[in-house]
């Protein structure tokens, strides 16, 4: 009895090609997983730096607010001297206006 060849004589080659494709895709997936992991580490590092910088900026704003408050308090104690000097008067007006804007934005 004569055996018939398989319907597709390319069957072994197709299987081999598919296994190579699967291996290639598996390697590609492993590479992408590594890239995602690297990007996650990079993101976490950058997020940490940004949070530190935000904390430093907020601390600096608080210090500057304290300085402005101190200057305004000092100006109010010597109001007659400030009113007599145009530069001090302008500074007082500028600082007092900024104080108002800052207080207004904090209430919203």
């Amino acid at each position: 009895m004569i055996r018939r060849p398989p319907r597709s004589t390319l069957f072994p080659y197709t299987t081999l090609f598919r296994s190579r494709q699967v291996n290639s895709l598996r390697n590609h997936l492993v590479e992408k997983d590594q890239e995602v992991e690297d990007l996650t580490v990079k993101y976490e590092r950058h997020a940490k730096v940004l949070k530190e910088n935000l904390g430093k900026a907020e601390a600096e704003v608080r210090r500057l607010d304290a300085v402005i408050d101190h200057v305004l308090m000092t100006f109010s104690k010597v109001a007659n001297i400030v009113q007599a000097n145009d530069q001090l008067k302008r500074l007082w007006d500028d600082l007092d206006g900024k104080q108002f804007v800052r207080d207004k934005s904090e209430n919203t």
Side-chain angles (χ1 to χ4, degrees):
M1 181 164 183
I2 299 175
R3 297 183 84 192
R4 295 177 115 203
R7 289 186 186 251
S8 171
T9 55
L10 296 176
F11 178 74
Y13 300 109
T14 304
T15 303
L16 179 62
F17 176 74
R18 286 186 181 150
S19 68
R20 285 182 183 169
Q21 255 187 334
V22 168
N23 286 337
S24 174
L25 290 173
R26 186 176 292 129
N27 290 339
H28 188 69
L29 180 63
V30 167
E31 289 172 6
K32 291 298 177 185
D33 284 345
Q34 185 61 43
E35 286 178 24
V36 167
E37 189 176 321
D38 292 345
L39 287 173
T40 302
V41 168
K42 186 177 179 180
Y43 163 78
E44 289 171 353
R45 189 173 54 244
H46 287 190
K48 181 180 177 184
V49 168
L50 289 173
K51 286 178 185 176
E52 289 172 359
N53 287 343
L54 178 62
K56 290 176 184 177
E58 288 174 341
E60 185 67 21
V61 167
R62 284 191 296 273
R63 284 193 294 273
L64 291 172
D65 282 345
V67 168
I68 289 172
D69 291 341
H70 180 74
V71 168
L72 288 172
M73 190 181 336
T74 304
F75 278 4
S76 66
K77 289 179 182 177
V78 290
N80 56 342
I81 296 172
V82 172
Q83 293 299 327
N85 186 312
D86 287 339
Q87 289 178 335
L88 288 177
K89 186 176 179 183
R90 254 185 312 201
L91 179 60
W92 190 0
D93 291 340
D94 287 345
L95 290 177
D96 197 32
K98 288 180 181 167
Q99 181 76 23
F100 174 73
V101 170
R102 180 174 42 112
D103 290 343
K104 187 176 180 183
S105 65
E106 289 176 359
N107 293 335
T108 58

